[in-house]
Amino acid sequence: MFRYIKSILFTLTILAVVVNMSYAQNGKVLTLEQCIEMGLKNNSQFKIAAYQVDRAGANVKGSYSSVLPRITSSFSSGRNTIGETTNLVNSQVFDEATVIDTDGNPITISVPAVDPTTGQFIIDRAERTSPTNSFWGHRFRLSYNQTLFDFGRSWNTIKQAKASFNSSSQDLTSA
């Protein structure tokens, strides 16, 4: 009985290996280049290393932003409306007086009116209403900035980004 079970297990093992091998290759023989390509395509460590190289390359480009000039611009436009307004306005009252010029001709002129009891000028207070006014406002701004000296910090950042790129490239080669 033990022999019988042993031979059934052996037969099932051989059958499993044969079936597994036939499903693994699908009847195709792969070349060495195809195997390498498949390995690189499906290797997660290689994918991660390639992503790190791409990121480090972008960081190198970005590190130059601290030494390159920066130009910014902005534009805004708007319409402002001021509604009808009423103000209390002080205005001086004038009287007409007739004087004789040097040729003996009479001339009528305006003179400030004076209160006879107090002797002060007469001021008239009146409400004046201004109509609704609208106007357009436009604004454009252009600015240029560049760091001239930062004690070598910008250049060291560029060197650090390049070193990180080289390190990532070596990691990709080893992966």
Side-chain angles (χ1 to χ4, degrees), residues 13-171:
T13 304
I14 296 296
L15 183 62
V17 169
V18 169
V19 169
N20 198 13
M21 287 175 57
S22 67
Y23 280 120
Q25 292 187 2
N26 292 333
K28 294 181 183 179
V29 176
L30 299 176
T31 64
L32 178 60
E33 289 82 18
Q34 290 172 330
C35 291
I36 291 172
E37 183 181 334
M38 190 184 306
L40 291 176
K41 183 179 173 185
N42 297 323
N43 186 345
S44 62
Q45 288 181 340
F46 181 77
K47 288 180 182 179
I48 291 170
Y51 170 74
Q52 293 294 338
V53 169
D54 289 343
R55 192 178 74 169
N59 286 344
V60 170
K61 287 180 185 176
S63 67
Y64 282 97
S65 67
S66 59
V67 295
L68 295 175
R70 293 170 299 282
I71 298 174
T72 57
S73 65
S74 64
F75 178 78
S76 63
S77 180
R79 182 179 175 99
N80 293 324
T81 301
I82 298 174
E84 186 177 283
T85 56
T86 302
N87 296 319
L88 184 61
V89 179
N90 293 333
S91 59
Q92 192 167 8
V93 176
F94 290 93
D95 288 334
E96 291 185 358
T98 304
V99 291
I100 306 292
D101 66 359
T102 56
D103 295 332
N105 298 326
I107 299 175
T108 303
I109 61 169
S110 295
V111 292
V114 178
D115 186 357
T117 56
T118 62
Q120 295 189 0
F121 294 117
I122 299 173
I123 304 292
D124 182 33
R125 292 187 176 187
E127 286 187 359
R128 301 260 167 93
T129 302
S130 300
T132 299
N133 291 320
S134 293
F135 58 92
W136 283 95
H138 307 285
R139 180 179 296 170
F140 176 74
R141 180 179 177 181
L142 180 68
S143 65
Y144 173 91
N145 295 313
Q146 185 171 16
T147 303
L148 297 177
F149 186 70
D150 63 356
F151 300 99
R153 177 177 175 229
S154 299
W155 295 106
N156 287 331
T157 301
I158 293 169
K159 288 178 188 177
Q160 181 182 9
K162 287 180 178 179
S164 177
F165 177 77
N166 290 336
S167 173
S168 296
S169 298
Q170 293 298 322
D171 290 345

